[in-house]
Amino acid sequence: MDLPSDSATSDLWFDWLMHRRHADDAGYSQRVQMDVASYSDRVLDGAALKQGMTLVDLGAGDGLVGFSAIDRIGASLKVIMVDISLPLLNFAEQSATSRGVRQQCTFLVSSAEHLGGLNDDSVDAVTTRSSLAYVADKQAALRECFRILKPGGRLSIAEPVFRDNALAAASMRTRLESGEKDPKQSILPFLHRWQSAQYPDTNEAIQSSPIANYTERDLLQLAQAVGFRELRLELHISVTNSYCKSWEIFLDSSPHPLAPSLRSILHERFTAEERQLFEAVVRPMVESSELSETDRMAYLTALKPSKDNC
């Protein structure tokens, strides 16, 4: 993935993390942060950090994993934050300064597939949280993780699995194209129009989409293929009623950085009459918490073998 060509103050990744993920709502942002912090904690548990270590966090974003690691380990930990987004790294650097930990942090603009700024066998742990999901060549990224880790170093990742979302969108397309009739047929085209704007909805598109062309088992197999050993994989699936009860927040948030908001989709893909029909059906479900959310997160830890155990 190439660094977006936007300005130094904002890009796709910055805009989503700072705005669209929580629709610029402080209360909703706090609830989202609770979930994100739980993912971060699991990643750091898997990294098994100790004093004096060096951690590389790929897709560091706003620095949550790195700063949480420093909070855990203290002043002896060195953290290298890597991201393709210069605006996010600038934000993280400012946060490091305000936290008084700038001297412990290094900031590197780089794709995950080509970590040219990092030497072989140079770091103790590598973490990612919702980063590899957007990398086109995941095996190349994992190969780079393996390369920069010292023998005995640990990989710990938490990645969302979006494949089922894409398969659901594809299923809607198939039902529409088959002319299948059911009581929900009147709303099905609208639901498909919404979901297909956020996830690929054909087999070809799914296979070519970085966010949809892998499962948790693929992550395991790719990590094993580049040389990692002692692999541990856990897939956590939670199905809950949505905690977003605000129609405005629902309209302005999006499930991942590559997905437009529902408000944008309604504006660009729906007529005024269709927007009214869609809202009449979906808004009551949002405001009554009838909509469910399914979260699928794959946690993987692995070890780079010591040279005498290769």
Side-chain angles (χ1 to χ4, degrees):
M1 300 173 71
D2 296 325
L3 185 68
S5 59
D6 299 324
S7 73
T9 58
S10 180
D11 63 15
L12 172 71
W13 314 101
F14 182 94
D15 178 64
W16 184 79
L17 195 63
M18 299 299 172
H19 302 291
R20 287 189 296 116
R21 182 170 67 173
H22 48 74
D24 280 328
D25 183 87
Y28 189 58
S29 174
Q30 187 175 24
R31 183 62 181 82
V32 169
Q33 287 295 332
M34 290 174 59
D35 286 343
V36 174
S38 69
Y39 304 147
S40 174
D41 287 342
R42 285 291 304 272
V43 168
L44 290 177
D45 289 345
L49 298 171
K50 297 179 182 178
Q51 292 187 0
M53 283 187 168
T54 297
L55 164 69
V56 167
D57 185 39
L58 293 182
D62 60 1
L64 173 64
V65 173
F67 296 138
S68 297
I70 290 173
D71 289 342
R72 284 190 179 200
I73 305 302
S76 68
L77 183 73
K78 301 299 182 184
V79 178
I80 302 172
M81 299 188 189
V82 180
D83 206 288
I84 62 170
S85 171
L86 177 59
L88 279 175
L89 286 180
N90 287 339
F91 180 88
E93 184 173 8
Q94 293 171 6
S95 297
T97 300
S98 66
R99 289 168 173 262
V101 297
R102 177 63 184 83
Q103 72 282 0
Q104 292 177 247
C105 301
T106 301
F107 302 90
L108 176 63
V109 179
S110 176
S111 70
E113 303 100 318
H114 303 287
L115 299 173
L118 298 172
N119 294 329
D120 296 359
D121 304 334
S122 61
V123 305
D124 300 285
V126 175
T127 55
T128 78
R129 180 191 58 80
S130 300
S131 301
L132 289 182
Y134 308 101
V135 173
D137 191 343
K138 292 175 176 56
Q139 186 166 30
L142 288 167
R143 188 180 298 114
E144 282 290 86
C145 293
F146 188 87
R147 177 183 66 80
I148 66 175
L149 278 168
K150 299 175 182 176
R154 293 183 65 83
L155 173 75
S156 181
I157 70 177
E159 293 297 331
V161 180
F162 292 123
R163 188 175 181 84
D164 283 355
N165 302 82
L167 292 176
S171 177
M172 290 183 194
R173 170 184 280 274
T174 299
R175 289 168 60 190
L176 288 171
E177 291 178 344
S178 71
E180 177 184 340
K181 301 295 183 181
D182 62 46
K184 297 181 180 179
Q185 186 70 19
S186 60
I187 191 66
L188 184 61
F190 298 161
L191 296 177
H192 171 257
R193 208 176 301 170
W194 166 28
Q195 291 299 296
S196 64
Q198 297 183 331
Y199 300 97
D201 69 335
T202 67
N203 288 335
E204 181 180 5
I206 289 171
Q207 291 305 313
S208 64
S209 168
I211 70 167
N213 65 3
Y214 72 95
T215 68
E216 69 283 353
R217 293 188 180 187
D218 293 317
L219 294 176
L220 177 73
Q221 292 167 358
L222 290 172
Q224 188 173 21
V226 303
F228 283 105
R229 297 295 180 263
E230 302 296 327
L231 298 96
R232 301 287 185 273
L233 172 70
E234 294 182 23
L235 175 64
H236 284 219
I237 302 177
S238 62
V239 182
T240 60
N241 288 340
S242 173
Y243 49 73
C244 175
K245 296 183 179 182
S246 164
W247 179 243
E248 295 302 312
I249 293 174
F250 193 75
L251 285 175
D252 288 325
S253 58
S254 73
H256 59 80
L258 304 181
S261 68
L262 176 56
R263 189 185 299 277
S264 296
I265 296 167
L266 290 173
H267 176 73
E268 296 174 3
R269 300 193 176 200
F270 287 66
T271 67
E273 181 180 2
E274 288 172 337
R275 288 195 291 270
Q276 290 180 345
L277 291 171
F278 182 91
E279 181 174 346
V281 173
V282 178
R283 182 169 184 169
M285 298 173 67
V286 171
E287 295 179 339
S288 63
S289 290
E290 289 182 39
L291 286 183
S292 64
E293 292 182 345
T294 302
D295 180 74
R296 304 173 185 86
M297 187 66 70
Y299 295 94
L300 174 67
T301 61
L303 190 72
K304 179 175 180 176
S306 299
K307 295 187 183 300
D308 55 357
N309 292 329
C310 291

